Amino acid sequence: MKATATAISRRDLVAKIGKGAALVAAATAVPGKAKAALAQRAVHYAMVIDARKCTGCHACSVACKAEFEVPLGVHRSWVEYVEKGTYPNVSRNFLPRLCNQCSEPPCVSVCPTGATYKRKEDGIVVVDPDICIGCKYCMLACPYDARFINPNTGTADKCDFCLHRVTEGLEPSCVNTCQGRARIFGDLNDPNSEVAKLVATEPVTVLRQEMGTKPNVFYIGADHSDENDTRVPGQYIRVDTHRPILERR
Amino acid sequence: MLNRRNFLQVGAAVPLSVLAGEALVRRVSAGPVIGGKDFSPDTGKERQAIPSACWQCVTRCPNISYVEDGRLVKIEGQPKSIRTNGVMCSKGQGGVGQFSDPDRILYPMRRVGKRGEGKWKRVSWDEALGEIATRMKKLRDAGTPEKVMFHYGRMKASHSKLIKSLFLANYGTGTIGNHTSICEAAKWTAQEMTWGGHYDNWDFDHANYVLNFGSNVLESHTNHIPTSHRLIARLTEKRIRMVTFDIRLSNTAAKSSEWVPVKPGTDRAVILAMCNVVMNEDLYKGDGEAFLKFVKVSTGRKASIADKVVALKAHLTGYTPEWAEKISGVPAGKIRTIARDVATVKPACIITYRGAVSHHHGADTERAAQMLASITGNIDRPGSRCKAVGAKWKYPKGPKKKPKTRKLKILDGLPGAAKMPTHHVSHQVLKMIKDGSAGRPEIYMWYCYTPVYANGEVQENIDILKDEKLIPFSVCVDPFYDESAALADIILPDTPYTERWGWEDMVSPTQVPEYYIRQPAVKPLGECRDFADVCIDLADRMGFPLGVKNHEDFVKASCEMTSAVKAAGGFEYMKANGVYHDPKVKPRYYSYMKVLKPDAYQKPGIVMDPATGVYWNWKKAKVASEEEALKKGYTHTKKAYKAYVGQEIDGVVYSGFKPDKLNKSGYLELYSEIVEAKGLPAMPSWTPAPEHEAMKSGDLILTTFKVAAQIHSRSANCKYLTEISYDNPAWINPVTAAARGIADGDAIKVKSEFGEIETTARVTPAIVPGAVAISHHCGHWEYGRYASGKKAPSGRNEPDSDRIWWTSNGTHPNWIIGNRADPISGQLRFMDTVVTLEKAGASA
Amino acid sequence: MQELQWGLPVIGYLFLAGVGAGAYTVSSSVLLRGGGGGFSGDHFNIARYGALLAPIPLIVGTGMIILELETFQTAVAHGDISLLFRWINLFLTINLSPMSIGSWVLALCIIASVGYAYTFLSKESADGDDKNGLRHGLAWIGVPLGIAVAVYTGILLGAMPARPFWNSPVLALLFLVSSLSTGVAGILLLRALFGKHHKAPDGETHDASHKTASRATYLLASSDVLLIGFEILAIFLFILFANLTIGNPAKAVSVILPGGEFAAMFWIGVVVIGLLLPVLIELRYVIPTLLYHQPYAMPRGIEVAVCAVILIGGFMLRYVVVVAGQITGPMGI
Ligand SMILES: Nc1nc2c(c(=O)[nH]1)N[C@H]1C(S)=C(S)[C@@H](COP(=O)(O)OP(=O)(O)OC[C@H]3O[C@@H](n4cnc5c(=O)[nH]c(N)nc54)[C@H](O)[C@@H]3O)O[C@H]1N2
Ligand SMILES: Nc1nc2c(c(=O)[nH]1)N[C@H]1C(S)=C(S)[C@@H](COP(=O)(O)OP(=O)(O)OC[C@H]3O[C@@H](n4cnc5c(=O)[nH]c(N)nc54)[C@H](O)[C@@H]3O)O[C@H]1N2
Ligand code: SF4
Ligand code: SF4
Ligand code: SF4
Ligand code: SF4
Ligand code: SF4
Ligand SMILES: [Mo]
């Protein structure tokens, strides 16, 4: 069955990409000291989502689905609509969501098999589908509900920053398609990268900062409203998630 | 930690490391590349990339289709495209679903049971085409080719040329319907009345202010991605101001600086009031005043600018903001402020779409918008609404000698439906067939169109299409089993756009034409055939070969015939690159201001029409002699617009605003004698919808809209799209809801004079009180499992079929929307339906 | 309703592992504390019931959790044998994940409890027999292992800030006390069902062994009263801490407070049925003995019923906690 073939080859791929990038970091044609520095310098991938530019078009959601043939009912990426206010002063904001590739990822610390781990070479949190037992512990530990069980393999799955693309020097699929160019991807360790500059200069926020997860997905101008928000009693707030679980979690 | 993974990494590291190495070097030096390549996440193998073009919505963006193991798995934007800059919308991305839809029809099918019973037999192409060709030939030989009616929807560019200009023209039928009247015909008719040929391009790249009436450009537009990605960039990077009038908070309204809720169908009152402010506060001075030179606002053609100002002021006197407030609910103060902004922030882009025009006298609303743009000097200049520019392909024209086409007079609606239906009244075609007084087609064939679902009065559409007495023989050309296919006698399986050829010419937001082609990502599945190829086959069978082998051949020939494309490398270049634009071509603005050299109009056959100042070629207009031409005059000569040359203004001959479809002058005509002659207001005016005038308390107005992740009738079979937008509850304001005891999520009934539907309520402050808004796209009862939960008769299995998790497919509003026409243009008045609303079960 | 990642198998597992671990701990401590001989070997008897009981829920519970593994479910659904034993991966590594540590501890606990049960298997087994050394050795291990397993079931849930309802150290304490209490209930239930001495519970003519047996069960029952007391305290602390914390935990714990989705189930199922009812009944029989030194004599039917409600309460506690924790995800964004 395809599912098994997939699982095995994807495992190999994850492993290959991992090791490959590490080896290569040492082997690039950069002379002497610089080479050593480069070998030392790990890449730190991050994404900035400029919510001001997001039109809620869902191109990212669908690009991601197609890229990975993500089965119906589960999502690596999704966009929440946050509508609130009182007529006629009503706003609707969009919050694209994906795995935050946390620097302190609780999904990694609870995984009993080591199937979920954070790659040293670039900070991407990945799941090895050949090791995962499908215990779902990581799903409960993730404060962002970014994980799901892939029904083809019975193992945990989630956004991996398009590892297979970024290791080939391509932008992630959702970034490629984003009509607002609201999604910006790059290396935080490279001070010249757009992400590094934005994180340094813009008032970026992260989701659920209090969880201590240190997300690597940063937002500019995001509406952090919550449907449980009671700041204004009786204020209308509606969060649409477009996922089977209609409430946000 | 010692586990298998580490162990495996060491074991498997070597082979890919070289590849990954390149990647890293590139990344370190230049940052990630945006696209143009894709790899399999499972195997790491590079996917085959085929430059092609989307055909989900009418925009037809260039794309790159990625193929893995013979399957189309991914679609991306074309980074080389100057129109899209490589970005793509959700529908374009979701296009993989058109290819993979397990309910696709793969073989010609013939009904075996009663019409509409759902019983089908697979037949060979030979059998199907044999029968169709025999029937068609018989009618042609009998001298009644018009008894073949062809009705198309989304057919454009090379498909249109091959199917319409070659096949149907050589066959001889002119009984050809389209779907423009259910789309934005009112807008086109109004543009033809004012500045000539239709299509306004919105130059957001240079706009400093955007004023929007009823366009949801960030979610849906006929040039969606090319314009929307520019708009959002402009809004956020240059922080320009945008004001959106909509009856509900669309995503466009949400992203605008301000959402102004307006009572449905009253935008014209607001626009006229803004014109009133601009004129009365002398805000037209400057750009607007200068532009008035090219504008006609009164009878005759000798008016000075000062005369024009007087005429405009006189026309607009009654249309004060206070007057408009009463009609539209928009505060007068707000109208004034916005009018002042739009007149003073230069350049301003005034945009409109179906929200403004799908109404009674919708065409007049578009004319009013042209007026506001004119008097503020925001026409065809950088940053404004511009006359669109698209690619001009040359293509094989087929046999020199064409038969004279004949047509049934069933295309323009019931008698009196519309006075100037320049784009027909296609939503009343079935009514006309039922009526029968203008004759009935023997064969009704439709293509890229779903007469049952896309129009109003769904039940009547079904009844007529089912009736063998009214329609003896019907053929549906469709890759999918939609609600209309279910009522056909024969279904010819077309390929979805993912598997066919074509060249495209959609207008460019940069005012520089872009040439692009579509090529099949994969071979057609099953026995699907591009209908353009089928037409060539049919023509052969009937004995009038079209002189082209197939669509690919046609595209190839066009590439070689079109000089710009040929110079770039022709067909081979286009196959490899998908898109081409000439980097030397400058954006086209102010085209109307071009001064014609004398040799352009001082030619035999060209005369000046004294009444209008139009130079026209009477020979081209097939008038017998110059005297006759002068006697009859330009305006009264049939199709004289096709012979237009230029417009004389103050002794100079300009290319002016070239007419199309109507014999208007080269002025931008805000005052139209042609319109006046039809008994309609010569200048944009307020004429309320009769049924709105007659509304009782408790009545509401039903409107409809499109959502970001679906394309009208055609995309609910794309699983990734329907997973996002599967339901369409009715939006109502809390005030509207409270008055009827309705809570969010309640089951409700919506009733109009055309029927009743049951749906659920979405109670939200994001809609004006007094309106109900129900989106399009949902409530399918066929169209496969993802759209309706029901497999097509020929449906196959795929694992995702068992994972459909949504429990509702929504409710289609068109059951209760009438097939009524704007009395000017014939546009279906989608946003005008008067309804009542109650909690379901309340009356029981 | 939110989709649950962890459903009945995990709830059952947490409950059964608790009962098993509790029974093992209680049995071991009774054996170690009471030696073999007290009350004419009745401590031994009690220890024997506990020992024979412990491995069963531990093993069944562990079996249940395998059912919850998605790899296992996929293996069954797709007929994919290679996924069937994927859970072995749990034992190919050890890390700081509570589940990893817990799996190892649980595995050790199962092995030890099986060995421990083996030492009691023979009907003739008695204090000081040839298995005595092994038995005592395994009892020494049993106390910490049992406690570890019981505590771990709480830590498993409590280790995640993402689930504010669970994210409380009191949860480990609560599960530990509940494990011990349900362990005791399990032992008493077995004894009530299968014990020989209760054949003539007329209160007058009971023989000496019955008397001592009653005194042993009295001890268990009275310590159970104590445990339940602790449990109520733990619940109080659990709610108190959560409620006093500003933000997510307070919001989360509100689902079991009056008006919350799980209030009825929690207060009736866990507190009234699982705690108050048994403690009142037990007190009814314990107090006369405690204060007036009357002979302790709980009718067998009542004894069975008390044990049953304690066990039901223990299950309900796991049920409410597991489900409530999942429906109250993180809040704020
Ligand atoms: N996603 C998506 N994009 C599409 C399409 C699609 O189906 N889906 N279809 C394509 C086609 S063919 C077309 S014609 C275009 C149409 O593009 P649009 O005309 O922009 O789209 P609509 O949703 O038909 O209508 C636009 C807006 O009009 C509002 N409206 C309704 N009544 C009124 C009114 O009285 N006054 C005002 N001011 N607003 C009103 C609606 O709430 C809606 O937000 O989109 C094209 N692009
Ligand atoms: N309620 C409501 N109704 C509306 C609208 C609205 O906003 N609200 N919008 C209106 C507008 S603007 C428009 S333009 C119309 C559009 O109405 P249509 O032109 O009818 O709509 P389409 O979605 O283009 O698809 C029509 C059919 O084409 C078929 N099709 C899809 N791909 C192909 C193909 O490759 N080849 C062939 N041969 N067939 C194909 C599908 O089966 C589909 O059912 O709908 C109108 N109807
Ligand atoms: S977002 Fe969730 S899944 Fe992703 S790294 Fe953080 S905790 Fe793990
Ligand atoms: S489901 Fe898989 S990845 Fe997640 S914790 Fe369990 S073993 Fe680790
Ligand atoms: S980075 Fe890739 S996997 Fe992650 S959300 Fe974007 S497309 Fe999906
Ligand atoms: S593609 Fe970009 S603009 Fe569209 S929803 Fe995603 S992030 Fe927002
Ligand atoms: S805008 Fe239309 S043509 Fe362009 S990608 Fe989207 S659906 Fe396709
Ligand atoms: Mo349209």
Side-chain angles (χ1 to χ4, degrees):
Chain A
M1 227 204 99
K2 189 181 174 279
T4 13
T6 304
I8 289 167
S9 51
R10 181 130 39 94
R11 185 264 331 284
D12 284 352
L13 187 73
V14 168
K16 279 172 193 163
I17 291 173
K19 197 64 190 178
L23 280 182
V24 163
T28 25
V30 188
K33 260 192 195 155
K35 183 166 155 184
L38 191 61
Q40 288 297 309
R41 206 201 86 191
V43 173
H44 182 162
Y45 281 132
M47 192 181 288
V48 173
I49 299 183
D50 189 341
R52 297 169 306 184
K53 296 185 164 188
C54 174
T55 64
C57 73
H58 275 297
C60 47
S61 321
V62 182
C64 182
K65 277 259 164 177
E67 184 76 32
F68 298 92
E69 296 188 69
V70 181
L72 292 188
V74 290
H75 298 79
R76 285 175 169 237
S77 185
W78 68 101
V79 180
E80 289 167 354
Y81 282 28
V82 183
E83 189 176 290
K84 63 181 188 191
T86 317
Y87 180 84
N89 299 313
V90 190
S91 67
R92 187 179 307 122
N93 285 283
F94 311 109
L95 195 68
R97 301 274 311 265
L98 68 166
C99 164
N100 286 295
Q101 316 295 346
C102 306
S103 289
E104 301 287 344
C107 55
V108 170
S109 39
V110 300
C111 176
T113 60
T116 281
Y117 61 102
K118 190 168 173 68
R119 285 159 50 91
K120 286 191 195 65
E121 51 274 53
D122 51 26
I124 300 180
V125 175
V126 293
V127 185
D128 188 331
D130 204 35
I131 292 179
C132 172
I133 58 171
C135 68
K136 298 178 272 191
Y137 201 9
C138 52
M139 294 167 68
L140 291 164
C142 169
Y144 306 101
D145 206 18
R147 295 180 155 249
F148 57 88
I149 291 292
N150 186 321
N152 289 325
T153 56
T155 56
D157 209 343
K158 66 169 192 71
C159 157
D160 62 358
F161 262 1
C162 282
L163 187 64
H164 67 296
R165 285 174 63 98
V166 300
T167 44
E168 296 287 352
L170 290 171
E171 298 272 18
S173 189
C174 54
V175 175
N176 164 280
T177 202
C178 177
Q179 73 153 316
R181 289 276 173 250
R183 291 184 178 234
I184 301 125
F185 177 81
D187 176 10
L188 264 193
N189 282 355
D190 172 2
N192 293 319
S193 70
E194 200 183 341
V195 279
K197 287 185 199 153
L198 287 172
V199 169
T201 57
E202 293 282 339
V204 293
T205 55
V206 294
L207 299 184
R208 292 181 178 140
Q209 184 173 26
E210 72 283 5
M211 291 291 156
T213 49
K214 303 211 174 119
N216 287 305
V217 174
F218 301 88
Y219 291 84
I220 304 177
D223 183 342
H224 288 252
S225 294
D226 177 12
E227 56 271 61
N228 298 309
D229 201 329
T230 49
R231 263 175 309 178
V232 184
Q235 176 180 247
Y236 165 88
I237 298 186
R238 181 199 293 265
V239 179
D240 285 324
T241 70
H242 304 284
R243 294 202 296 172
I245 299 139
L246 296 173
E247 303 102 84
R248 170 158 71 193
R249 16 170 231 219
Chain B
M1 185 172 56
L2 249 188
N3 61 20
R4 260 160 86 206
R5 187 187 67 247
N6 289 350
F7 170 73
L8 281 165
Q9 281 183 354
V10 179
V14 196
L16 256 187
S17 59
V18 183
L19 255 179
E22 276 178 10
L24 193 81
V25 174
R26 255 186 291 149
R27 195 171 62 231
V28 168
S29 54
V33 177
I34 197 78
K37 269 189 185 187
D38 196 22
F39 296 82
S40 160
D42 289 343
T43 64
K45 274 211 290 281
E46 185 161 355
R47 289 167 165 168
Q48 190 195 350
I50 294 136
S52 190
C54 187
W55 191 338
Q56 286 279 60
C57 88
V58 42
T59 306
R60 294 163 285 140
C61 298
N63 74 22
I64 300 183
S65 301
Y66 292 99
V67 176
E68 185 178 332
D69 300 332
R71 293 187 313 130
L72 170 65
V73 289
K74 181 77 202 304
I75 300 174
E76 277 183 6
Q78 168 60 270
K80 291 177 195 151
S81 166
I82 52 165
R83 293 173 62 239
T84 69
N85 289 316
V87 301
M88 173 158 268
C89 78
S90 54
K91 291 100 60 195
Q93 291 283 354
V96 288
Q98 302 288 20
F99 161 80
S100 69
D101 180 0
D103 289 306
R104 264 180 73 168
I105 303 169
L106 300 182
Y107 308 96
M109 306 221 285
R110 194 176 207 308
R111 93 174 140 92
V112 283
K114 282 206 281 292
R115 202 184 262 175
E117 207 184 353
K119 296 213 179 93
W120 297 91
K121 178 177 94 180
R122 178 177 161 181
V123 294
S124 69
W125 272 103
D126 201 46
E127 186 183 335
L129 295 189
E131 177 171 1
I132 296 168
T134 310
R135 285 175 181 261
M136 282 181 73
K137 189 163 187 306
K138 213 174 123 200
L139 292 169
R140 190 176 192 245
D141 291 347
T144 53
E146 75 277 12
K147 295 211 164 207
V148 175
M149 162 135 200
F150 186 79
H151 206 155
Y152 67 88
R154 177 115 312 114
M155 174 174 86
K156 296 273 181 192
S158 68
H159 277 87
S160 177
K161 296 294 179 255
L162 242 174
I163 296 168
K164 213 167 85 168
S165 311
L166 254 71
F167 175 64
L168 294 172
N170 280 296
Y171 174 79
T173 180
T175 316
I176 302 172
N178 57 20
H179 76 184
T180 314
S181 66
I182 58 174
C183 188
E184 73 291 73
K187 201 169 150 70
W188 297 163
T189 303
Q191 294 194 5
E192 283 144 13
M193 292 169 173
T194 49
W195 71 6
H198 69 252
Y199 216 97
D200 46 330
N201 173 46
W202 304 334
D203 186 18
F204 291 139
D205 278 347
H206 306 102
N208 285 326
Y209 188 88
V210 178
L211 177 55
N212 171 17
F213 296 96
S215 162
N216 189 4
V217 53
L218 292 180
E219 289 185 88
S220 59
H221 176 42
T222 44
N223 206 9
H224 173 56
I225 274 293
T227 36
S228 65
H229 85 276
R230 294 184 149 80
L231 175 59
I232 193 69
R234 193 77 184 170
L235 288 176
T236 53
E237 282 158 21
K238 292 282 181 257
R239 311 259 173 113
I240 68 160
R241 202 169 159 73
M242 170 162 180
V243 176
T244 291
F245 285 77
D246 199 307
I247 64 103
R248 62 179 189 109
L249 186 82
S250 64
N251 289 352
T252 307
K255 280 284 155 188
S256 299
S257 326
E258 188 175 358
W259 166 48
V260 186
V262 56
K263 196 182 146 211
T266 63
D267 297 73
R268 191 169 356 114
V270 174
I271 301 172
L272 289 170
M274 287 181 179
C275 291
N276 170 299
V277 173
V278 171
M279 293 312 296
N280 286 334
E281 298 189 4
D282 288 349
L283 300 172
Y284 64 89
K285 291 208 162 130
D287 295 345
E289 190 171 19
F291 184 71
L292 280 181
K293 175 174 169 188
F294 296 93
V295 183
K296 179 172 154 72
V297 294
S298 50
T299 48
R301 65 179 201 91
K302 291 287 173 210
S304 67
I305 302 277
D307 293 341
K308 291 184 185 183
V309 169
V310 171
L312 279 166
K313 283 187 176 168
H315 177 71
L316 293 165
T317 359
Y319 299 139
T320 63
E322 285 69 23
W323 163 83
E325 174 174 345
K326 278 196 218 106
I327 291 170
S328 64
V330 181
K334 186 158 277 179
I335 296 177
R336 276 208 174 80
T337 316
I338 297 169
R340 286 169 192 154
D341 285 349
V342 76
T344 48
V345 184
K346 298 271 152 76
C349 195
I350 298 165
I351 68 176
T352 57
Y353 233 80
R354 294 179 74 255
V357 306
S358 300
H359 292 283
H360 179 262
H361 279 214
D364 225 17
T365 306
E366 179 67 11
R367 283 209 301 161
Q370 291 280 62
M371 178 183 268
L372 184 59
S374 298
I375 62 179
T376 55
N378 285 306
I379 294 270
D380 207 27
R381 71 188 252 183
S384 75
R385 54 160 57 195
C386 297
K387 295 226 66 174
V389 174
K392 293 263 178 285
W393 287 89
K394 294 230 158 44
Y395 53 91
K397 296 258 162 79
K400 276 246 157 56
K401 233 183 96 223
K402 289 189 174 63
K404 205 172 149 30
T405 55
R406 295 168 53 88
K407 67 173 154 201
L408 294 177
K409 290 206 161 71
I410 58 173
L411 303 175
D412 292 341
L414 296 167
K419 290 182 165 149
M420 307 185 71
T422 54
H423 294 267
H424 304 308
V425 187
S426 293
H427 53 277
Q428 293 186 355
V429 159
L430 293 179
K431 279 185 194 292
M432 286 301 288
I433 290 177
K434 185 178 175 191
D435 172 81
S437 60
R440 292 189 181 121
E442 302 257 313
I443 302 177
Y444 182 63
M445 186 191 285
W446 64 92
Y447 168 70
C448 291
Y449 177 56
T450 174
V452 166
Y453 180 93
N455 297 305
E457 294 178 59
V458 171
Q459 189 58 55
E460 187 184 68
N461 304 337
I462 294 175
D463 294 343
I464 297 172
L465 222 51
K466 251 192 185 166
D467 192 334
E468 287 172 50
K469 286 196 287 302
L470 298 177
I471 298 174
F473 185 65
S474 66
V475 181
C476 168
V477 186
D478 205 323
F480 311 105
Y481 193 72
D482 67 12
E483 289 76 8
S484 304
L487 300 178
D489 293 335
I490 287 190
I491 307 176
L492 299 179
D494 198 11
T495 58
Y497 69 90
T498 50
E499 291 138 56
R500 59 187 188 230
W501 289 94
W503 50 251
E504 291 293 352
D505 56 4
M506 188 52 172
V507 302
S508 171
T510 62
Q511 298 288 106
V512 170
E514 175 163 274
Y515 294 82
Y516 58 112
I517 67 163
R518 169 178 305 98
Q519 48 185 333
V522 289
K523 280 213 218 56
L525 292 194
E527 289 183 5
C528 292
R529 290 176 71 185
D530 178 352
F531 185 60
D533 290 342
V534 171
C535 287
I536 295 170
D537 190 338
L538 277 174
D540 284 343
R541 283 172 194 260
M542 286 185 273
F544 59 95
L546 300 176
V548 248
K549 271 207 310 258
N550 52 36
H551 201 164
E552 177 180 358
D553 196 38
F554 185 81
V555 171
K556 186 175 175 183
S558 306
C559 288
E560 305 310 321
M561 291 164 75
T562 307
S563 54
V565 175
K566 173 133 177 65
F571 190 49
E572 292 309 316
Y573 178 91
M574 293 309 280
K575 278 204 292 188
N577 292 279
V579 287
Y580 173 74
H581 75 277
D582 184 345
K584 292 188 298 290
V585 167
K586 291 218 176 59
R588 200 181 81 185
Y589 300 103
Y590 304 110
S591 57
Y592 63 92
M593 277 215 236
K594 198 176 132 202
V595 177
L596 296 188
K597 298 213 181 74
D599 57 344
Y601 56 91
Q602 291 176 350
K603 271 204 294 218
I606 297 178
V607 287
M608 203 261 264
D609 177 53
T612 57
V614 168
Y615 280 85
W616 61 300
N617 190 328
W618 54 267
K619 272 193 181 145
K620 207 170 160 195
K622 301 196 176 98
V623 182
S625 66
E626 188 167 324
E627 289 94 79
E628 198 190 320
L630 285 170
K631 199 171 102 218
K632 228 176 156 185
Y634 164 79
T635 316
H636 303 288
T637 302
K638 210 173 161 207
K639 298 212 169 153
Y641 68 87
K642 287 195 171 169
Y644 172 91
V645 174
Q647 174 72 44
E648 189 267 341
I649 301 172
D650 298 342
V652 184
V653 182
Y654 296 93
S655 61
F657 290 100
K658 191 169 175 258
D660 187 19
K661 302 233 159 129
L662 297 173
N663 294 345
K664 72 163 214 46
S665 69
Y667 286 104
L668 193 154
E669 294 195 356
L670 295 177
Y671 187 104
S672 169
E673 274 136 356
I674 303 172
V675 176
E676 194 173 24
K678 299 272 179 188
L680 294 165
M683 280 226 247
S685 306
W686 177 246
T687 14
E691 66 264 49
H692 292 180
E693 295 284 277
M695 270 169 72
K696 293 188 289 292
S697 89
D699 283 354
L700 303 165
I701 299 176
L702 170 67
T703 65
T704 167
F705 62 96
K706 303 181 172 72
V707 303
Q710 292 281 6
I711 308 104
H712 21 78
S713 331
R714 66 162 53 215
S715 63
N717 61 326
C718 298
K719 58 187 176 187
Y720 299 147
L721 299 179
T722 298
E723 189 178 23
I724 291 168
S725 292
Y726 49 87
D727 199 6
N728 62 340
W731 295 31
I732 47 173
N733 187 282
V735 174
T736 314
R740 291 159 184 80
I742 294 166
D744 189 49
D746 279 355
I748 53 168
K749 276 186 195 159
V750 191
K751 284 185 205 174
S752 79
E753 62 180 289
F754 303 98
E756 171 179 318
I757 52 171
E758 213 173 292
T759 181
T760 46
R762 179 187 168 103
V763 178
T764 165
I767 180 169
V768 68
V772 187
I774 304 181
S775 93
H776 193 18
H777 326 293
C778 292
H780 279 281
W781 56 99
E782 296 287 355
Y783 217 48
R785 69 205 69 179
Y786 299 118
S788 65
K790 194 167 144 195
K791 279 187 187 172
S794 55
R796 290 156 300 278
N797 275 330
E798 74 161 353
D800 268 344
S801 332
D802 303 327
R803 298 186 184 128
I804 298 175
W805 53 266
W806 50 95
T807 48
S808 164
N809 286 301
T811 310
H812 193 37
N814 292 11
W815 295 96
I816 60 167
I817 293 176
N819 277 322
R820 292 227 167 107
D822 162 19
I824 303 176
S825 64
Q827 161 90 37
L828 200 164
R829 297 161 53 196
F830 265 113
M831 321 289 192
D832 272 351
T833 316
V834 175
V835 295
T836 57
L837 194 129
E838 64 186 49
K839 212 164 151 164
S843 54
Chain C
M1 184 70 181
Q2 303 243 19
E3 178 189 307
L4 298 181
Q5 313 303 353
W6 283 352
L8 275 181
V10 169
I11 295 166
Y13 155 76
L14 291 178
F15 168 67
L16 290 173
V19 174
Y24 191 11
T25 312
V26 170
S27 161
S28 297
S29 43
V30 166
L31 183 77
L32 295 174
R33 243 189 86 252
F39 312 120
S40 318
D42 197 60
H43 276 169
F44 186 84
N45 243 326
I46 296 232
R48 182 159 181 263
Y49 280 116
L52 293 180
L53 170 65
I56 299 167
L58 281 172
I59 291 171
V60 174
T62 308
M64 286 183 81
I65 199 167
I66 287 178
L67 292 182
E68 182 76 279
L69 296 182
E70 292 287 341
T71 45
F72 187 84
Q73 292 181 10
T74 309
V76 175
H78 296 183
D80 185 343
I81 310 290
S82 69
L83 284 175
L84 209 54
F85 295 101
R86 188 51 86 73
W87 53 268
I88 302 260
N89 285 1
L90 275 174
F91 299 103
L92 297 181
T93 182
I94 181 160
N95 59 31
L96 286 178
S97 159
M99 190 182 284
S100 180
I101 299 171
S103 307
W104 284 102
V105 172
L106 189 64
L108 292 179
C109 189
I110 288 176
I111 294 167
S113 71
V114 168
Y116 183 59
Y118 163 74
T119 67
F120 282 98
L121 209 55
S122 157
K123 280 209 176 99
E124 270 72 57
S125 56
D127 203 30
D129 63 9
D130 57 344
K131 305 214 174 66
N132 205 33
L134 181 62
R135 183 181 299 131
H136 274 253
L138 290 173
W140 277 113
I141 302 176
V143 175
L145 266 186
I147 290 179
V149 167
V151 167
Y152 139 74
T153 59
I155 291 181
L156 182 76
L157 303 184
M160 293 176 285
R163 303 284 151 184
F165 187 95
W166 294 340
N167 192 18
S168 160
V170 185
L171 194 64
L173 179 69
L174 182 58
F175 276 22
L176 171 63
V177 186
S178 170
S179 292
L180 294 175
S181 153
T182 52
V184 167
I187 295 173
L188 285 177
L189 184 64
L190 273 195
R191 202 193 139 93
L193 291 177
F194 301 111
K196 297 191 202 79
H197 309 291
H198 278 248
K199 273 175 190 160
D202 50 39
E204 291 287 317
T205 57
H206 49 256
D207 56 35
S209 71
H210 185 225
K211 198 177 223 158
T212 51
S214 295
R215 287 197 52 194
T217 46
Y218 160 70
L219 264 187
L220 275 190
S222 50
S223 46
D224 200 36
V225 168
L226 213 65
L227 284 173
I228 291 181
F230 275 132
E231 205 171 330
I232 293 175
L233 180 71
I235 286 178
F236 176 70
L237 288 176
F238 179 75
I239 295 177
L240 190 75
F241 276 127
N243 209 25
L244 287 182
T245 317
I246 289 162
N248 294 353
K251 181 92 199 165
V253 85
S254 70
V255 296
I256 58 167
L257 296 182
E261 249 174 280
F262 283 91
M265 204 177 276
F266 180 74
W267 292 103
I268 297 174
V270 178
V271 178
V272 176
I273 295 181
L275 301 175
L276 295 181
L277 191 65
V279 88
L280 288 178
I281 299 173
E282 280 178 337
L283 280 177
R284 150 79 181 76
Y285 293 94
V286 167
I287 285 179
T289 313
L290 188 72
L291 299 182
Y292 312 109
H293 300 282
Q294 286 180 7
Y296 175 73
M298 188 188 278
R300 185 163 129 163
I302 304 249
E303 212 168 3
V304 170
V306 166
C307 295
V309 288
I310 291 180
L311 289 171
I312 290 173
F315 179 82
M316 293 300 287
L317 175 70
R318 304 314 191 282
Y319 185 92
V320 170
V321 168
V322 168
V323 177
Q326 292 181 74
I327 66 158
T328 53
M331 276 152 277
I333 191 77

